[in-house]
Amino acid sequence: MQVSPSLLSADFANLERDIRMLNRSEADMIHLDVMDGVFVPNISFGFPVIKAVAKHSKKPLDVHLMIVNPQNYISQTRDCGAAIMNVHQEACVHLDRTIQAIKAAGMKAAVTLNPSTPVIMLEDVIQELDMVLLMSVNPGFGGQKFISRATEKVKKLREMISASGSKALIEVDGGVNLETGRLLADAGADILVAGSYVFSAPSPEKAISSLKDL
Ligand code: DX5
Ligand code: ZN
């Protein structure tokens, strides 16, 4: 299992310290949640913060854009050090064009689905994708309760990926802890995002290791 701890639950006044902890940990990447107050009912942080994180991170940056018009921010996302750019299907009218542009900019292309969006919406682009991010909470906030239907979506997506010959990895985001992570691992998830579970643990490094072992 790969693990992508979400910095949304880190201590923003001690980001460098928390990034150093993640560098030492078994985390495979760092998940960065950008919220614009329009696509989701909350505002988090933007490109200057990602740039500052990139300066200290030894792990690839997994950038999750919860914003409208993400196609307008592809070069900015690349320039601030993102390895993976996640755009929401619900935010993209010309999703295929946006995926091609992300790859042309040199990043891995990932598409995110809200809990209410069925995986079938990706049938015609799945072969183009490096990753699919399934939301297991409604995006906008850390610390929410896991929506258990996500495990069914992981299974459906796994079938679609196998049938199409796509190499896309399946990442799941929201309400992940040891218990829900186990269900997602059994369903076929490749990468788990975890915010509050990691950062509220007595030892965040151990919490990351325990998810890695699922
Ligand atoms: C929610 C974000 C998540 C969030 C997850 O909108 O996309 O990445 O940080 O937080 P937890 O793991 O606490 O549900
Ligand atoms: Zn996220």
Side-chain angles (χ1 to χ4, degrees):
M1 181 60 74
Q2 295 190 51
V3 178
S4 188
S6 167
L7 219 55
L8 192 63
S9 295
D11 179 352
F12 288 171
N14 286 288
L15 269 187
E16 190 181 345
R17 181 199 68 192
D18 286 355
I19 296 161
R20 267 197 257 113
M21 178 280 290
L22 294 174
N23 285 340
R24 284 193 307 270
S25 80
E26 289 182 65
D28 296 277
M29 50 192 117
I30 299 180
H31 187 84
L32 293 150
D33 290 299
V34 178
M35 303 179 186
D36 67 354
V38 180
F39 183 73
V40 287
N42 199 7
I43 297 176
S44 56
F45 51 76
F47 297 113
V49 172
I50 299 178
K51 215 170 185 170
V53 171
K55 231 166 68 188
H56 298 284
S57 173
K58 296 196 170 89
K59 312 273 180 173
L61 302 185
D62 169 29
V63 177
H64 176 194
L65 296 172
M66 286 162 270
I67 64 173
V68 296
N69 295 320
Q71 72 280 359
N72 295 347
Y73 301 93
I74 294 172
S75 53
Q76 241 176 309
T77 303
R78 191 257 332 273
D79 291 347
C80 71
I84 306 171
M85 178 167 170
N86 295 276
V87 296
H88 269 262
Q89 184 273 338
E90 303 85 1
C92 296
V93 176
H94 299 291
L95 185 61
D96 180 79
R97 177 185 286 151
T98 301
I99 293 165
Q100 303 309 334
I102 293 170
K103 295 202 288 190
M107 293 176 287
K108 289 193 172 162
V111 173
T112 310
L113 297 182
N114 279 336
S116 63
T117 305
V119 296
I120 194 73
M121 296 305 284
L122 298 181
E123 191 173 26
D124 292 292
V125 291
I126 193 72
Q127 281 175 313
E128 305 300 320
L129 292 178
D130 296 296
M131 189 173 93
V132 176
L133 173 55
L134 294 178
M135 292 308 301
S136 43
V137 297
N138 287 294
F141 304 91
Q144 302 182 84
K145 190 176 175 293
F146 181 75
I147 297 173
S148 59
R149 216 187 126 60
T151 55
E152 283 310 306
K153 286 177 82 170
V154 171
K155 287 183 199 162
K156 272 197 190 151
L157 181 59
R158 175 59 65 208
E159 280 170 25
M160 186 196 288
I161 288 172
S162 308
S164 68
S166 161
K167 293 193 171 57
L169 296 177
I170 303 176
E171 181 175 51
V172 188
D173 183 7
V176 171
N177 54 36
L178 219 44
E179 193 185 325
T180 57
R182 160 58 51 208
L183 300 174
L184 292 167
D186 290 346
D190 299 298
I191 308 166
L192 298 176
V193 175
S196 50
Y197 176 68
V198 165
F199 285 95
S200 66
S203 164
E205 280 183 71
K206 280 191 190 147
I208 292 167
S209 303
S210 66
L211 292 173
K212 285 286 297 173
D213 290 341
L214 286 174

